[in-house]
Amino acid sequence: MTSPLEASKAMYAAVARGEWDVVADFMSDDLVIYEPTSLPYGGEWRGRDALQKLYAHVMTFWENPVVQWQELVGGDKYAVALLHFTVTAKSSGKRFETHIAEVTEFDDAGKMASMRIHYFDTAAMLDHLRA
């Protein structure tokens, strides 16, 4: 079985290539992604294709994303991706930067069971989204 760290590296590489069928192979059938409820795309996103659906929805609010990897660490059940994210709000044209921690939990079969997305400052994100 692949470790959470190696599975996360491979999954994020597939995301970067836009290979959503490969991404789905890393997910459990009942994957849940949790976004902060204060954001317009907040709440729970469910299913093997949840990340693809979430990404498409998030990009209706932001454009020109630049993701810089800070670190990817993992243990027996979890992997944590630390990112620096720069985007432009479509509604206001304001450029925005933030740090994100994505905490992924793996099930006993080695599939991604949940992801919790933690942004440094969601209030600032909402401010940038205001036209």
Side-chain angles (χ1 to χ4, degrees):
M1 180 173 12
T2 305
S3 73
L5 180 60
E6 291 305 315
S8 294
K9 284 180 183 178
M11 186 275 298
Y12 283 115
V15 169
R17 294 187 306 268
E19 296 175 353
W20 293 108
D21 56 332
V22 175
V23 172
D25 289 341
F26 290 99
M27 310 300 180
S28 69
D29 290 337
D30 56 351
L31 168 74
V32 182
I33 301 174
Y34 301 92
E35 282 277 356
T37 56
S38 58
L39 296 176
Y41 40 85
E44 296 180 4
W45 294 78
R46 296 180 173 273
R48 292 183 66 208
D49 62 349
L51 188 58
Q52 180 180 7
K53 289 179 183 175
L54 173 60
Y55 181 82
H57 190 62
V58 167
M59 295 316 295
T60 67
F61 296 92
W62 305 101
E63 60 189 355
N64 304 317
V66 176
V67 179
Q68 294 176 314
W69 288 94
Q70 304 296 303
E71 191 72 52
L72 182 60
V73 296
D76 294 333
K77 291 284 284 183
Y78 291 90
V80 179
L82 303 175
L83 313 169
H84 182 263
F85 193 55
T86 306
V87 288
T88 301
K90 288 183 177 182
S91 57
S92 69
K94 295 178 187 175
R95 196 82 174 137
F96 177 73
E97 296 183 38
T98 191
H99 291 277
I100 302 171
E102 296 183 350
V103 180
T104 303
E105 180 181 11
F106 287 75
D107 64 18
D108 292 336
K111 299 287 186 176
M112 295 177 176
S114 70
M115 296 178 78
R116 294 185 183 272
I117 315 301
H118 302 275
Y119 299 92
F120 179 72
D121 190 348
T122 56
M125 292 175 75
L126 290 169
D127 184 54
H128 280 76
L129 287 171
R130 289 186 189 93

